[in-house]
Every structure is written in C-alpha cells, then in structure tokens.
Amino acid sequence: MNEAVVAQRLAQLRATVEAGARRGPVTICAVTKGFGADAVRLAHRLGCDAVGENYAQETVAKIAESGAAHPPVHFIGRLQTNKVKALAAVVDVWQSVDRAALVDEIAKRAPGAKVFIQVNATGEPDKGGCPLTDVAALVERARAAGLDVLGLMTVGPTTPDPQRTREAFATVRRLADESGLAGCSMGMSGDVDIALAEGSTLVRVGTALFGERP
C-alpha cells in the first residue's frame, strides 16, 4: 500500500468534504474491511477520524494486530447478536443497529455504547436496516436501553441512480431531524457528493482511499 498515494487521496476527500458539508463537520470513516492491519495503521498515521469494519472475526483479529495504533473502530456491517460479545471490547461505534434484539444485546454487552440506527431507505430486500416506518420506535428503544444514539445510517441503492440515491439520503436526513438526531452516516466512495448535499455528517470511504480490495 503506497502511503503517499493514500495521503493524496485523503487530502482530496477532505477538500471535497469541506466544500460540500451542509451540516457542520463531517467525520471521515476509512473503511478497512478486506485490507490488512497495515491499512488500519496507515489510517491512524494519516489522521483519519475512524476506521470501518464489516466482519466480526476480521475486526477482532485486525485490531489486535494493529495494537494501539488505530483510530476509533466503527462496525458498519450487518451484525448477528451472537457476535456482539466478541466485538464489545474493540468497537467504539456500532453503525448497523437495525432491530430491537440487537439494541438489547449491545446494551447488555456494552452499556452506554454509541450507536447509529441503520435504515433501509431503498426498500431493497438484500439491504440491512430497519424499515422507514420502524425508525422512530427503534431510536426510542435504543435510548431507553441507555445507548447513546448518535444518528441514523443508510446505504444508497445498489444500482447507481443519482435521483434514487438523493431521495434515499434526503429521507434519512429528514427522519434523523424528526428524531432530534444530528448525525447521518451516509455516503460511500461512489456517492459522497450526493450524501454531503443531503446533510451527511459521516462518510464511509474505502476503495477511493486504499484502492481495490485484494
């Protein structure tokens, strides 16, 4: 992994974020899934705000290998309740909380944890996230369980369609506002500009920083 190249890409992303932010400072979460611990350490050296991981076993092993040289760890993948216990010691922010059982398990294993409620804003059956109609109730359940709900998280449509993407992100931003949540984790390598325009406060970028995954 070429550090100079990644640093240049990160500088470009920071410029894009600064120019496009509509809701205050935007967190850059460098998605290191599929890469080795060297990517996590590189993200740390370059000052990324966070790293994002998708798979429980990979996350635990990689963070252990990274030692102290890593930014805060965000878990952004679909999550089974039986994986929460193993992750509790290494995850700083849980971004894929999409059902009551997961709320309860995180509250049990990591009391007071910081979370985002994941929303399926496109209606695609293969997407994680709770239905739009369940968002308010799940936010309240998480708050009642003592979790620190930072905001909502969503993934844009699988088929790149700028209008569908914009509509999905705008819906999630509106739902966050209605629940009194400042945070919106929206936008990945291919749709950062749209996400920023619709009020994202956290973008999750992997390939645009590190290149294609092995």
Side-chain angles (χ1 to χ4, degrees), residues 16-26 193 195-201:
T16 297
V17 163
E18 184 175 356
R22 298 290 182 268
R23 291 294 189 102
V26 174
D193 290 336
L196 293 170
E198 296 303 328
S200 177
T201 63

Side-chain angles (χ1 to χ4, degrees), residues 5-135:
V5 171
V6 176
Q8 181 181 27
R9 292 168 176 165
L10 179 59
Q12 292 170 343
L13 177 59
R14 283 172 169 154
T16 297
V17 163
E18 184 175 356
R22 298 290 182 268
R23 291 294 189 102
V26 174
T27 297
I28 293 177
C29 181
V31 180
T32 48
K33 73 168 183 178
F35 297 104
D38 57 330
V40 176
R41 290 190 288 262
L42 178 55
H44 178 72
R45 288 197 300 275
L46 296 179
C48 289
D49 301 310
V51 292
E53 287 287 333
N54 285 60
Y55 306 111
Q57 188 172 355
E58 179 183 341
T59 302
V60 172
K62 192 182 301 182
I63 298 307
E65 185 180 347
S66 301
H70 66 80
V73 177
H74 289 223
F75 195 83
I76 60 177
R78 297 181 79 167
L79 181 59
Q80 296 174 308
T81 54
N82 64 0
K83 303 296 185 183
V84 172
K85 182 179 179 180
L87 287 165
V90 298
V91 171
D92 297 286
V93 179
W94 309 77
Q95 282 207 41
S96 48
V97 181
D98 61 0
R99 59 197 186 280
L102 195 50
V103 165
D104 296 344
E105 187 66 14
I106 293 172
K108 176 182 176 182
R109 303 294 182 182
K114 293 178 169 59
V115 304
F116 283 78
I117 300 300
Q118 184 175 0
V119 183
N120 185 337
T122 66
E124 295 169 273
D126 61 327
K127 284 278 194 296
C130 70
L132 296 172
T133 52
D134 294 351
V135 171

